[in-house]
Amino acid sequence: MVFVSMLHPLDPASEMYVPGTLSDVEHVLVDVGTGYYVEKNVEDTKEFFKRKIDFLTKQIEKIQPALQEKHGMKQAVIEVMNMKIQQLQAQQASQSGTTKA
């Protein structure tokens, strides 16, 4: 039996790790989502994560154009708001200048 030393995360959201030892290096538990774990051999695990990476890459490529469009719209709104603010400030400055005279 082969034992492999490793650092294991205390919980998925934590940056704290504790020392651990793997007694079976041919099988691992894989988090498949919503708190479910499946025991897989190393080759199946590699394939699982390759498929997951491919899926996520395709999803990123799919939403990238929409994200760029939203960013452009946000920039246009910011420009319009800045113009309106400048106009309002200029109007207030001219009104305060005429009331003092």
Side-chain angles (χ1 to χ4, degrees):
M1 188 177 289
V2 175
F3 290 94
V4 176
S5 294
M6 61 175 277
L7 290 176
H8 187 277
L10 204 49
D11 69 58
S14 174
E15 292 186 17
M16 294 178 53
Y17 293 85
V18 294
T21 304
L22 288 176
S23 59
D24 180 4
V25 295
E26 297 300 318
H27 297 89
V28 293
L29 286 177
V30 178
D31 182 355
V32 294
T34 62
Y36 289 97
Y37 292 84
V38 175
E39 184 175 322
K40 292 181 170 282
N41 66 39
V42 174
E43 285 304 313
D44 287 346
T45 302
K46 287 179 182 178
E47 279 299 313
F48 172 78
F49 283 111
K50 183 185 178 313
R51 286 192 312 272
K52 194 167 190 170
I53 289 169
D54 290 343
F55 172 76
L56 291 173
T57 301
K58 287 176 185 172
Q59 293 302 309
I60 289 169
E61 290 170 354
K62 191 184 293 184
I63 65 170
Q64 191 72 26
L67 181 62
Q68 289 173 340
E69 180 183 346
K70 299 282 186 199
H71 179 73
M73 290 170 60
K74 181 188 95 171
Q75 290 301 111
V77 168
I78 289 171
E79 287 178 27
V80 169
M81 286 177 60
N82 285 334
M83 287 182 355
K84 298 243 182 220
I85 289 169
Q86 288 175 354
Q87 289 172 352
L88 183 62
Q89 288 173 341
Q91 182 182 12
Q92 288 174 346
S94 69
Q95 284 179 354
S96 66
T98 57
T99 57
K100 288 183 181 179

